[in-house]
Amino acid sequence: MLDVIKPHHVSLCVLLRAFLDSEVLQGLVTSDENYQKLRDFLLQEIRAKSSIKYPSLSELLAKLQDALPSKDVGDQISSLLMEQLGGVQYPDDLVTFFSDMSQLMHSHSQALDEDALKGGADISSAMGFYIRHCCVSFHMLAFEAACGLFDDLQAYKEVCMYEQQGFQPPPGLYKTALRNQAALDALLNQQVARQETQSGSESAAELIAPADELTDLAAHVTKVDLLRHSHAVCQSDFLAAVDSLYKYFDYSTGQTARPPGGAAGAEPSKGHLQDALLTLGSAHAHFGHVQEALLALNEAVRIAQQHNDNVALAHALSALCHILATASPTAVTQLTEPGAGLTDPTAHLSQLLKILKRCEKRAQDLHLPHLFVFARLALAQFALEHQTGPSNQQLAKGSQAAASQGRRSAVLGVSQAVQDTARLHQAAKLAAAVALPPPPAASAPGMVGNVGRASVADLFTATPPVFGPTSAGSASSADAVEKLAGSSHLLQAGAWKLAGNRSLSQASSLTHLACFADSATADDRALAYAQLAQVAMSKKGYKAAAEVLALADKQLPYSNSPALQAARLGLAHSRALHRGDVQHAALFASQLVGLADPTGSVSRTFRTDAQQAHVRTLLVAGRYEEAAEAARELFESCTEAGLQVQAVELLLLLGQIHEAAGAPLAALPYVLSCLLHSTVLHMDLLAADATCSLSRIWLAMGPSHGPQAVQQLRFVLPTVLGNADTDLQARVQLVLAQALLADATPAHLKADPEEVLQPLQAAAAGFAALEDFHKAAEAQHLIALVCHAINNTSRRNAAAGEFHKLTWHARQGQAC
């Protein structure tokens, strides 16, 4: 659709005529630099569509002066523009002007004859297309509209003259010219997407400023309310989000509609109501209102079924998957009908798995790539989190290998899903740029993992818009797939962390920030920084983690992401525990619990980690009975919810509580159970941690078990030194030295003292880096005893000095 020509277009046409007329240009521009800057300025202005309104003449002249390096050249071109606009005295002058403009264009064959041409623009060039656009728009105007353009042009000049003389123009002299509806819709779509990507980088006032400006200039543009809704959701303002959503869909009824995905010939306006209900359900799900979200989705499904809207049904299915995956079984008490619930955890997980597979199949049939990628990644995450562990009957039959293979396949399944997402992302960009032919009717679409690139690209043919009039076509699906491609690397980072490879986890997080920072949401970028901070702490200590968090604060100064806040509180809590500062550790643990959702409707794993931090605080505080009771209740809730990884971690924590309480025999069943499950589930680092606890239990039973503890620790030592964090490495080295000393004699120590001293020194360095001064002092104390036994007085005295220094730091609570 052609733009209605405005005075701003006339001004640009004047500048283009001067630029394209070689005789006029030679008199104005005397250097190549000024020529290039003027050319770049004109190209930028004719392509500019990032503003709501057209600039005034004063603003255009100011931008022209800033673009040109020579002030004299800028003054001459500005004078020429004012002179040419002043020469338009009658409407007929505009007719003559645009007739002359049409003479500036020539075809490519004419351009080859350089002698016949003294300037002008090729009709296929950017300048030529713009000139043709303006000429056609003007000639399509009725007589009254042409006279109105003349009047607007006169007022346009008068306002500039008032401003140049330092006077305020009379009110109502010239009404601000807005861009056409299509340009405003495209601009608002960009602003809606910008709310998610820039909500942490810019302030709320900066993000909502375009909506406020457009409301003042054109209150009739209803999509402003959709922009306000997106802004309110990103700012966690529920009342404003719902109010803006109601306004948008109430006022836009009959104005915009998307074609439904049902039978041909259906009425286009039928998709409006289910779009509203889908968006309302997504908003409720974002804020953790599970029941309200399910009610909205149920109504959307009912209306979509009545109108045979398959696209809306597919989106409702994906929204239901998201709710079931994030909410606890007790929070979902209504699924399809009032009173029909899934309170049984097993039924909840089985239903989620069934719906995810159904969502993937429907997205593939309907050629909805963004939903296909969502379902594929959700299935990979489901397999990673809820991989069924070995039951007692399976263990009795010796099926550990099969269960271990299941965990390995879950980790590899995430990698396969990431690769499929990358291929779809590549096909998305191609499909958004070039219209692909539809696939043959007789050929059925195949699975992405087993087909070539051509079949993957077929998913992008005839793609309907997402959520109605927000955006349209393959471009909207391509944008959604690009965001999911970035999120897939965060899932990959979590998978590598569970597999015990922190280096690959760090690489996946860095890949997300390096390749998808422009398109990723602010929450995803915050999660990537949180993952990097945890890896930095595990490898280099709290100072490195603080540097990562400082970089995150610099890049996302306005972020209120729970993941970033939880990472900051988790690091502070871990530091307080290592220092033995129970008071501050309890404070940080309570803040973590308060940060988590109390109903379990948004993220169950987040609340579980916060409660686990509370249990560890009780353990360090010496309140063993309370810690055991809290850990037991948390273990039961994780088992019911199917959170297998957290349940196995809690088994080890229960064993450590009984061990610290002086009951190693009571701790033994918990540690053995954790060791067995973590080994079968291929959780290598957790198995190494359990082996360390088991070795301490052997030593607590007597020095005769020392060789057995040494054998177990040396078996896991390569895995620990290669992939474990500093804390686990230091603990394993300390227990290994204690096991070696359990039955050592002075003769053995004198023969090979470094066998004991090396792990003790490594343990002391690791604990000192973590600011665990009590454990570091213990390691230095053992070093001093060993050196005394081998008559190495100088090294003994140095270790004793370090011991006193560390004990002083432990008492003072200060860092080295």
Side-chain angles (χ1 to χ4, degrees):
M1 186 179 69
L2 295 175
D3 290 344
V4 178
I5 192 165
K6 302 292 183 181
H8 176 70
H9 297 109
V10 179
S11 299
L12 287 182
C13 286
V14 171
L15 293 176
L16 285 171
R17 186 171 68 171
F19 178 79
L20 296 174
D21 191 333
S22 58
E23 296 181 357
V24 176
L25 186 64
Q26 290 176 359
L28 295 175
V29 180
T30 57
S31 66
D32 293 339
E33 183 181 8
N34 287 320
Y35 175 81
Q36 294 174 0
K37 293 294 183 180
L38 180 58
R39 178 198 60 194
D40 295 341
F41 168 76
L42 291 174
L43 289 174
Q44 181 180 0
E45 286 300 312
I46 65 179
R47 294 170 177 172
K49 293 183 179 179
S50 59
S51 60
I52 296 173
K53 60 182 181 179
Y54 293 106
S56 64
L57 183 56
S58 299
E59 294 172 345
L60 180 64
L61 294 177
K63 293 167 66 175
L64 178 62
Q65 289 286 357
D66 294 338
L68 296 176
S70 174
K71 185 177 182 301
D72 294 337
V73 175
D75 292 338
Q76 293 179 11
I77 296 178
S78 299
S79 300
L80 175 65
L81 175 59
M82 295 298 296
E83 180 182 351
Q84 293 290 332
L85 292 178
V88 181
Q89 300 293 332
Y90 304 99
D92 290 344
D93 295 335
L94 287 175
V95 178
T96 304
F97 173 77
F98 281 104
S99 298
D100 294 341
M101 289 296 299
S102 61
Q103 302 300 320
L104 291 175
M105 295 180 293
H106 53 75
S107 63
H108 179 68
S109 59
Q110 292 173 332
L112 296 177
D113 187 5
E114 298 181 359
D115 297 334
L117 295 174
K118 296 183 179 180
D122 192 292
I123 57 175
S124 60
S125 65
M127 292 184 180
F129 181 82
Y130 183 81
I131 293 173
R132 284 193 297 152
H133 179 96
C134 292
C135 291
V136 172
S137 298
F138 176 78
H139 290 303
M140 290 179 63
L141 293 178
F143 176 75
E144 294 80 3
C147 292
L149 174 62
F150 173 76
D151 294 337
D152 292 341
L153 185 61
Q154 300 303 315
Y156 178 73
K157 294 184 297 182
E158 290 182 21
V159 169
C160 179
M161 295 175 63
Y162 274 110
E163 292 174 347
Q164 288 179 344
Q165 296 174 4
F167 297 107
Q168 185 70 24
L173 178 60
Y174 176 69
K175 185 178 180 180
T176 302
L178 297 179
R179 298 191 183 271
N180 63 0
Q181 188 63 42
L184 289 178
D185 286 343
L187 178 62
L188 286 172
N189 288 338
Q190 295 176 2
Q191 292 297 326
V192 169
R194 185 167 167 264
Q195 300 300 316
E196 290 186 352
T197 58
Q198 302 297 326
S199 59
S201 303
E202 300 180 14
S203 65
E206 292 174 339
L207 290 171
I208 202 61
D212 295 336
E213 182 182 7
L214 191 55
T215 300
D216 297 336
L217 296 175
H220 63 280
V221 181
T222 58
K223 193 168 283 190
V224 176
D225 292 319
L226 185 62
L227 175 58
R228 293 187 183 277
H229 164 74
S230 179
H231 175 77
V233 169
C234 294
Q235 299 299 323
S236 300
D237 189 346
F238 171 72
L239 295 179
V242 174
D243 181 65
S244 300
L245 183 63
Y246 286 159
K247 287 182 179 179
Y248 170 68
F249 281 101
D250 287 344
Y251 296 156
S252 63
T253 303
Q255 297 182 9
T256 55
R258 64 165 174 81
E267 297 181 18
S269 60
K270 296 297 185 181
H272 187 78
L273 186 54
Q274 49 261 45
D275 288 337
L277 290 169
L278 285 173
T279 310
L280 179 62
S282 299
H284 280 300
H286 175 82
F287 289 101
H289 306 158
V290 177
Q291 300 306 313
E292 291 80 0
L294 289 176
L295 286 173
L297 290 179
N298 287 336
E299 187 67 16
V301 168
R302 185 182 65 82
I303 297 175
Q305 288 174 340
Q306 291 177 353
H307 298 143
N308 198 20
D309 193 345
N310 295 323
V311 174
L313 288 172
H315 282 95
L317 200 62
S318 65
L320 181 59
C321 292
H322 175 73
I323 294 174
L324 292 178
T326 55
S328 62
T330 56
V332 184
T333 59
Q334 182 176 354
L335 183 61
T336 56
E337 297 177 356
L342 287 177
T343 57
D344 182 18
T346 304
H348 178 89
L349 294 178
S350 62
Q351 184 74 5
L352 173 59
L353 181 60
K354 184 185 301 183
I355 295 177
L356 281 173
K357 292 181 178 178
R358 177 63 176 169
C359 182
E360 182 185 32
K361 182 65 170 60
R362 292 300 296 158
Q364 184 177 350
D365 293 341
L366 296 173
H367 301 285
L368 301 175
H370 52 288
L371 295 188
F372 183 87
V373 172
F374 163 77
R376 194 63 177 271
L377 293 177
L379 283 170
Q381 183 176 0
F382 181 91
L384 191 67
E385 293 180 349
H386 304 291
Q387 178 67 39
T388 303
S391 62
N392 294 332
Q393 293 81 1
Q394 289 175 326
L395 293 178
K397 295 179 182 179
S399 59
Q400 294 93 335
S404 178
Q405 184 63 29
R407 170 58 62 179
R408 289 188 180 96
S409 63
V411 175
L412 295 178
V414 173
S415 301
Q416 182 63 46
V418 172
Q419 293 176 9
D420 293 341
T421 303
R423 287 196 290 269
L424 281 168
H425 178 215
Q426 182 182 9
K429 294 188 292 185
L430 294 175
V434 180
L436 297 176
S443 62
M447 293 301 295
V448 175
N450 302 323
V451 296
R453 185 174 300 176
S455 298
V456 173
D458 288 344
L459 285 172
F460 288 86
T461 59
T463 303
V466 183
F467 286 99
T470 304
S471 54
S474 297
S476 67
S477 282
D479 293 340
V481 171
E482 185 171 11
K483 290 183 180 180
L484 290 170
S487 300
S488 67
H489 289 281
L490 299 179
L491 178 61
Q492 180 77 85
W496 286 127
K497 181 182 178 182
L498 288 179
N501 197 322
R502 297 182 181 274
S503 298
L504 290 179
S505 175
Q506 182 183 22
S508 297
S509 300
L510 288 173
T511 300
H512 174 84
L513 291 175
C515 301
F516 300 93
D518 295 335
S519 60
T521 64
D523 288 340
D524 280 353
R525 283 188 291 161
L527 178 58
Y529 280 115
Q531 292 175 341
L532 289 175
Q534 293 173 354
V535 174
M537 188 276 293
S538 65
K539 287 186 174 182
K540 299 182 179 180
Y542 296 105
K543 184 177 180 181
E547 293 177 354
V548 175
L549 292 177
L551 178 61
D553 292 336
K554 181 180 179 180
Q555 297 294 328
L556 303 169
Y558 301 98
S559 175
N560 57 355
S561 169
L564 202 56
Q565 297 179 37
R568 186 175 286 106
L569 289 174
L571 293 175
H573 174 263
S574 178
R575 188 175 192 178
L577 287 183
H578 279 125
R579 286 185 166 189
D581 189 353
V582 178
Q583 182 178 1
H584 285 89
L587 175 63
F588 295 135
S590 62
Q591 291 178 353
L592 277 171
V593 174
L595 185 63
D597 177 55
T599 63
S601 301
V602 178
S603 177
R604 293 172 291 169
T605 56
F606 183 72
R607 181 168 180 80
T608 301
D609 294 340
Q611 291 174 334
Q612 196 172 140
H614 175 66
V615 174
R616 294 186 184 279
T617 304
L618 294 176
L619 172 61
V620 174
R623 298 159 63 178
Y624 303 122
E625 293 183 0
E626 297 180 31
E629 182 64 24
R632 193 174 297 109
E633 293 178 357
L634 186 56
F635 173 77
E636 293 175 356
S637 64
C638 290
T639 304
E640 292 178 354
L643 300 178
Q644 191 175 21
V645 174
Q646 289 79 1
V648 177
E649 291 176 348
L650 285 167
L651 283 175
L652 179 58
L653 184 55
L654 281 166
Q656 293 172 348
I657 292 173
H658 286 83
E659 179 191 354
L665 291 178
L668 187 59
Y670 294 105
V671 176
L672 288 175
S673 179
C674 174
L675 179 60
L676 181 60
H677 283 79
S678 58
T679 302
V680 169
L681 296 176
H682 203 61
M683 302 167 64
D684 296 339
L685 292 183
L686 188 59
D689 200 350
T691 302
C692 181
S693 297
L694 183 60
S695 300
R696 287 198 303 266
I697 294 175
W698 290 132
L699 294 177
M701 293 180 180
S704 60
H705 297 283
Q708 185 177 3
V710 171
Q711 182 181 3
Q712 292 178 344
L713 290 171
R714 284 179 173 172
F715 179 76
V716 300
L717 192 59
T719 301
V720 171
L721 295 180
N723 298 309
D725 56 12
T726 305
D727 179 63
L728 181 56
Q729 290 183 21
R731 286 190 286 113
V732 169
Q733 297 276 25
L734 180 59
V735 176
L736 177 60
Q738 292 173 343
L740 291 171
L741 290 173
D743 59 347
T745 62
H748 291 153
L749 292 177
K750 290 181 180 179
D752 189 9
E754 294 300 324
E755 183 182 12
V756 178
L757 291 176
Q758 285 183 357
L760 284 175
Q761 290 173 345
F767 286 127
L770 294 173
E771 301 178 12
D772 192 341
F773 304 119
H774 293 282
K775 291 289 184 64
E778 180 182 354
Q780 292 291 348
H781 178 252
L782 291 177
I783 292 175
L785 292 179
V786 172
C787 292
H788 179 74
I790 62 176
N791 296 324
N792 191 338
T793 56
S794 60
R795 197 167 179 180
R796 179 201 64 188
N797 294 338
E802 289 294 328
F803 170 79
H804 287 294
K805 180 181 178 181
L806 290 168
T807 53
W808 181 84
H809 281 298
R811 288 193 302 268
Q812 299 296 324
Q814 297 177 354
C816 294

